[in-house]
Amino acid sequence: MTPRPRLAWTHVRAVPIYTPSIEALVPFIMQCLTKSLSLLAAVAALSLPAAVQAAEVTLYRDATIIDGTGAPAKAHVTLVVDGERIKAIVPASGAGAFEHGARIADAHGLFVLPGFIDSHVHMATAPDRRYANAFLRRDVYSGITAVRDMAGDGRFLADLSRAALLGEMPSPDIYYAALMAGPAFFKDPRTIDAARGAVAGQVPWMRAITGDSDLKLAVAEAHGTGATGIKIYADLPAALVSSIASEAHRQHMLVWAHAAVFPASPREVIDSGADVVSHACLLAYQVSHPIPPAYHNRPPVDDGKFADDNPDLDALFADMKARGTILDATLYVYDAMWRVPHPQPPPYCRLPLAEKIAAEAHRAGVAVSAGTDAPGSPRDPFPSLFIELSLLVKHAGFTPMQAIEAATRIGARTIGKSTEMGTIEPGKLADLLFVARDPLTDIDNIKSVVMTVKRGRLYRRSEFKPISKDEAASEF
């Protein structure tokens, strides 16, 4: 094949070159910049959700506000929302100064609360996008504006979290954990599902820890997945639990732990400095002598040791209160365990004991958040968090106001977002739940949802599309 001739410099004929002055080029450069910036702005607008494109001011006029702080409800209040944030809270009679150019939403007769936070969900154990989208859709149309996912496939959770944040799907904001446990735990089939394509225990979002592990690297890799907290799960001694917690805090991550990690006891988990401990019934293992050595196949707790208040737990609750440790009680999951037939042996703890421990912790001044650990039936028009709040009020001694705080102000603490959400205050995110009936007279009135506002975006309950059989076929 004949080689292609190359163009030599000698083939180029010299031509005169016009070199304009800088002053002559300025109008042309400015014209190009203007067109480029206009094009970039148009592209950016197309890529952003509507709620972010324009900081539109909306007035939610003449509601009764229950602000999440525990303060008494206040009637005839108007909320001024600017974009995704609360701009002002004013008497309805004094809202005129904000009305020019604003959108007006009549909230007369409605009760407005901070958006709810479910502090214990699992959306990514076996990733299924349609399934997750369906349950998250039900959440946000029911007033849940944030969730704390307590371990699953970190790749999937990062994708869901991004889509939720940008408004690409109807969903609460999602904050999630990276899990750490002893090597023996990773025979659990849930961990295998959550690490598909890799080896459970050897991925950044689900790491087996031993005394030889490089904790600085393990925590850094977990942080790199986008996780907010490290979940300390099972099969770890007290010294390793403390080391993980210390390194996580050093790298500015929250520490979320099972209330008993086996063989680490509840006392040792609390002493590690965990920010939140999950499952009221796991605290009962504080009175086990000896404590079970491993998570799997542990014996049930002994109900007989809790006929009266137990001094071991009283001391534990006092320590939790002093440290500010939050209890993620998850009463709903103990209730759910007994709603369907189970193989033997039965679950390790019954609902009445879980309720008793949560009630005692609450009376002792421990902060209790509202988490569920299970989504509930797809046939139910409302999420399981509503049952959790009802259980807290009807079986654990909470007032409706205290249960609302568990799902709002305390929930925001579990994810480290107290400055952004959890109460209705100027400057915070416009995460709001409007209901038609007073939830302070009956906590079940939270089911009278009229609309949710999440980061300023409005979701009318009347537009809610229930979960379909196609979206959750295995549970219909």
Side-chain angles (χ1 to χ4, degrees):
M1 184 170 63
T2 304
R4 181 179 177 182
R6 292 181 4 178
L7 180 65
W9 285 108
T10 53
H11 296 161
V12 180
R13 185 163 59 101
V15 296
I17 298 176
Y18 167 64
T19 306
S21 66
I22 293 297
E23 291 79 4
L25 286 172
V26 166
F28 174 71
I29 292 171
M30 293 303 296
Q31 184 181 23
C32 291
L33 283 173
T34 301
K35 290 182 177 179
S36 297
L37 290 172
S38 298
L39 179 60
L40 286 172
V43 171
L46 287 173
S47 63
L48 291 174
V52 181
Q53 287 178 27
E56 183 179 50
V57 174
T58 302
L59 272 59
Y60 293 92
R61 180 189 282 167
D62 199 18
T64 296
I65 184 173
I66 301 168
D67 66 11
T69 66
K74 186 182 295 184
H76 306 300
V77 170
T78 293
L79 297 181
V80 182
V81 172
D82 189 351
E84 67 175 16
R85 301 217 171 243
I86 300 168
K87 183 175 183 177
I89 303 170
V90 297
S93 59
F98 299 94
E99 289 182 355
H100 179 70
R103 184 175 62 178
I104 308 298
D106 183 13
H108 177 72
L110 301 182
F111 298 81
V112 58
L113 299 77
F116 285 160
I117 299 165
D118 189 333
S119 61
H120 199 129
V121 306
H122 290 280
M123 286 288 106
T125 302
D128 180 329
R129 187 60 183 258
R130 290 194 72 202
Y131 178 94
N133 285 1
F135 281 89
L136 292 168
R137 181 180 72 242
R138 182 178 68 177
D139 279 354
V140 78
Y141 276 99
S142 302
I144 298 176
T145 54
V147 297
R148 184 178 69 132
D149 194 288
M150 290 298 285
D153 190 327
R155 301 161 296 186
F156 184 67
L157 287 167
D159 184 44
L160 285 178
S161 177
R162 175 193 171 280
L165 179 64
L166 296 181
E168 294 176 355
M169 64 182 190
S171 171
D173 285 345
I174 301 167
Y175 301 87
Y176 56 95
L179 183 147
M180 293 187 180
F185 174 69
F186 290 95
K187 65 183 181 183
D188 191 303
R190 294 170 299 176
T191 67
I192 297 168
D193 276 342
R196 290 178 192 170
V199 178
Q202 299 179 27
V203 290
W205 61 91
M206 202 157 278
R207 179 71 67 186
I209 300 296
T210 70
D212 296 326
S213 297
D214 183 340
L215 287 182
K216 290 183 179 179
L217 178 60
V219 171
E221 289 180 337
H223 209 167
T225 68
T228 298
I230 297 293
K231 181 177 182 179
I232 303 174
Y233 200 105
D235 299 330
L236 290 167
L240 268 182
V241 171
S242 291
S243 295
I244 294 168
S246 177
E247 183 57 32
H249 282 150
R250 192 188 71 81
Q251 296 193 36
H252 308 291
M253 296 191 76
L254 293 171
V255 177
W256 304 329
H258 266 186
V261 173
F262 308 110
S265 68
R267 163 65 64 189
E268 291 165 333
V269 172
I270 302 303
D271 286 347
S272 76
D275 300 290
V276 186
V277 296
S278 292
H279 308 308
C281 261
L282 286 179
L283 292 172
Y285 283 102
Q286 183 60 33
V287 304
S288 296
H289 303 291
I291 189 168
Y295 172 84
H296 289 99
N297 301 316
R298 64 195 183 280
V301 295
D302 184 354
D303 292 30
K305 293 182 178 180
F306 300 93
D308 300 306
D309 289 356
N310 189 292
D312 288 337
L313 286 189
D314 291 342
L316 193 66
F317 296 148
D319 192 19
M320 292 174 70
K321 179 183 177 183
R323 292 175 178 273
T325 310
I326 297 169
L327 172 61
D328 165 33
T330 66
L331 299 183
Y332 173 77
V333 77
Y334 298 108
D335 182 43
M337 284 178 181
W338 294 94
R339 286 173 180 260
V340 295
H342 279 268
Q344 296 298 318
Y348 74 93
C349 181
R350 293 178 180 270
L351 176 62
L353 180 56
E355 293 169 338
K356 179 177 174 59
I357 291 172
E360 290 179 8
H362 176 56
R363 285 198 301 272
V366 174
V368 177
S369 68
T372 57
D373 198 23
S377 170
R379 295 187 181 91
D380 194 325
F382 296 102
S384 54
L385 183 65
F386 285 29
I387 300 175
E388 179 74 15
L389 296 181
S390 186
L391 290 170
L392 288 174
V393 171
K394 297 175 182 178
H395 299 279
F398 285 60
T399 66
M401 180 73 86
Q402 290 166 340
I404 289 167
E405 288 182 77
T408 56
R409 182 175 61 84
I410 306 302
R413 282 180 54 196
T414 68
I415 53 178
K417 293 295 180 181
S418 293
T419 60
E420 290 283 283
M421 60 183 70
T423 56
I424 301 176
E425 299 178 58
K428 288 194 172 183
L429 290 170
D431 288 350
L432 308 166
L433 164 61
F434 290 84
V435 297
R437 298 190 297 274
D438 185 358
L440 297 182
T441 60
D442 183 347
I443 191 61
D444 289 335
N445 282 343
I446 58 177
K447 293 182 179 179
S448 63
V449 178
V450 174
M451 56 187 172
T452 304
V453 177
K454 183 227 160 180
R455 290 182 173 264
R457 182 187 288 267
L458 177 62
Y459 297 90
R460 298 186 186 278
R461 179 69 187 188
S462 59
E463 298 171 357
F464 168 58
K465 179 183 176 183
I467 299 171
S468 70
K469 187 171 182 180
D470 287 344
E471 291 172 315
S474 62
E475 298 185 30
F476 270 84

